[in-house]
Amino acid sequence: MPRFTVAALYKFTPLAGLDALQATLKQVGEANAITGTILLASEGINGTIAGPAAGIATMLDAIRSLPGCGDLEHKESWAEDQPFLRLKVRLKREIVTMGIPGVDPNALVGSYVDPGEWNDLITAPDVVTIDTRNDYEVRIGQFEGAVNPQTVSFREFPEWFRQFRQGRPNARVAMYCTGGIRCEKATSFVKAEGIDEVFHLKGGILKYLETVPAEESLWRGECFVFDRRVAVVHGLEQGTHTLCHGCREPLGPEDLRSEKFVPGVSCPHCHDRMTAADRERFAERHRQSQLAAKRGEKHLGRVYQDDASESETG
């Protein structure tokens, strides 16, 4: 059996006394060998954590004891190697950053669609399917026929949608994201903009890949995740992608065959914009990482995207 359980979670619920909650979750996590990132804000909690099964269970119990979190749902997957370097419990303005004041999924949100009903929805002729994730996530996998907003960050989504809807004012809208949290805000925003029929995939791509058989799937490619596994496929098995340590872009087998791919330094997505000083610095970091690995040590300078500040894998 894999050594580490990975739990993705989120919950929109009013939280107060964040400093005390931060200290409590940090203490529980450290006592139970938990790593990953948990974000706390006045609007709720978001995180992806990893650890031994018993430790994850204890941590989830602690989170569900928070105000309004008793019915918190989470998604589990597994990893052979520790997906995160350390535990971080951070206080933020938003648990997923859109930057639009007043967006409240507890007050206004789209209709949830179970994974088993998702295919019928997104193949309907009057439905436009929108991927609410960022461009580097969409590049390695998406649902067949989905629109890619080509955003660099979630903050760009509201303005993109306002422009997009001018060409499809009467369409029914289906949205999806990795685990559900980004869609909670996206559908809340879209409904506030006056779109009535707005739907989103319950549990996100992760729940779809966990429950929908591969032979029935409309998912194409792999699903980016915000940890050292980089991507997962059907059954939530680890995918084929790795991460560029220069620019953090996910890299597939074709990228690794490029002459612009230099392990630990550059890839086809960043090679041409790097300076000589950048390459020298990254090469030295890679060398130190390899030396640390030979000594059986963790090298914290290694670049992994284990920060959930842009993540919505819950």
Side-chain angles (χ1 to χ4, degrees):
M1 292 291 291
R3 295 170 54 206
F4 298 98
T5 298
V6 183
L9 59 101
Y10 75 90
K11 178 71 175 180
F12 284 99
T13 184
L15 292 178
L18 297 181
D19 289 334
L21 298 182
Q22 179 186 36
T24 296
L25 294 183
K26 184 79 170 176
Q27 182 179 29
V28 173
E30 290 176 345
N32 288 277
I34 302 299
T35 60
T37 299
I38 296 173
L39 304 181
L40 294 169
S42 59
E43 67 177 6
I45 184 170
N46 174 26
T48 304
I49 54 176
I56 290 292
T58 299
M59 189 63 159
L60 290 173
D61 285 344
I63 292 172
R64 290 191 174 104
S65 72
L66 302 182
C69 292
D71 61 348
L72 176 140
E73 296 181 2
H74 75 282
K75 288 168 287 296
E76 284 190 4
S77 54
W78 297 268
E80 292 291 344
D81 299 314
Q82 177 57 270
F84 302 104
L85 295 175
R86 62 182 80 83
L87 174 65
K88 292 174 282 187
V89 183
R90 292 181 170 176
L91 305 185
K92 306 285 285 187
R93 287 192 178 91
E94 299 177 72
I95 56 175
V96 60
T97 304
M98 176 179 269
I100 302 293
V103 175
D104 182 4
N106 285 318
L108 184 67
V109 75
S111 300
Y112 297 91
V113 178
D114 288 330
E117 301 173 350
W118 182 248
N119 289 356
D120 289 339
L121 174 67
I122 66 174
T123 53
D126 61 339
V127 170
V128 57
T129 305
I130 299 175
D131 194 321
T132 65
R133 300 171 303 151
N134 296 327
D135 193 45
Y136 66 91
E137 300 169 78
V138 179
R139 180 171 57 78
I140 70 170
Q142 66 178 128
F143 280 105
E144 190 173 289
V147 176
N148 176 10
Q150 298 182 325
T151 54
V152 175
S153 78
F154 192 44
R155 286 179 175 274
E156 298 177 4
F157 182 83
E159 183 56 33
W160 173 85
F161 183 80
R162 285 167 175 159
Q163 295 295 322
F164 176 80
R165 71 170 295 191
Q166 294 178 19
R168 298 290 302 271
N170 299 315
R172 295 194 294 159
V173 176
M175 295 181 170
Y176 67 89
C177 54
T178 308
I181 185 172
R182 208 174 308 195
C183 288
E184 296 266 6
K185 277 206 167 178
T187 61
S188 181
F189 167 77
V190 167
K191 287 186 72 70
E193 291 286 295
I195 305 295
D196 293 326
E197 292 193 84
V198 184
F199 307 89
H200 55 128
L201 177 58
K202 187 176 182 180
I205 303 163
L206 295 180
K207 182 57 70 174
Y208 184 94
L209 294 180
E210 180 185 358
T211 59
V212 175
E215 59 270 19
E216 300 175 10
S217 177
L218 294 181
W219 177 260
R220 303 293 179 259
E222 300 184 357
C223 177
F224 183 87
V225 291
F226 290 79
D227 60 56
R228 293 162 71 179
R229 295 172 298 169
V230 183
V232 296
V233 296
H234 275 279
L236 301 184
E237 298 291 332
Q238 184 166 335
T240 63
H241 284 74
T242 185
L243 206 65
C244 175
H245 290 190
C247 67
R248 296 186 176 189
E249 283 280 343
L251 306 178
E254 68 284 357
D255 296 310
L256 302 182
R257 291 190 292 268
S258 170
E259 63 181 13
K260 295 182 178 181
F261 172 67
V262 180
V265 178
S266 67
C267 74
H269 305 283
C270 65
H271 182 276
D272 292 343
R273 67 174 186 262
M274 275 192 176
T275 66
D278 289 334
R279 291 192 182 92
E280 183 178 348
R281 184 173 71 256
F282 293 153
E284 176 59 21
R285 183 185 62 195
H286 184 60
R287 190 179 74 85
Q288 293 297 329
S289 174
Q290 290 181 311
L291 291 174
K294 288 181 180 179
R295 297 192 299 267
E297 301 172 354
K298 291 181 180 180
H299 183 248
L300 297 184
R302 297 178 71 182
V303 179
Y304 286 100
Q305 196 158 358
D306 63 347
D307 184 344
S309 60
E310 280 294 328
S311 170
E312 46 64 73
T313 52

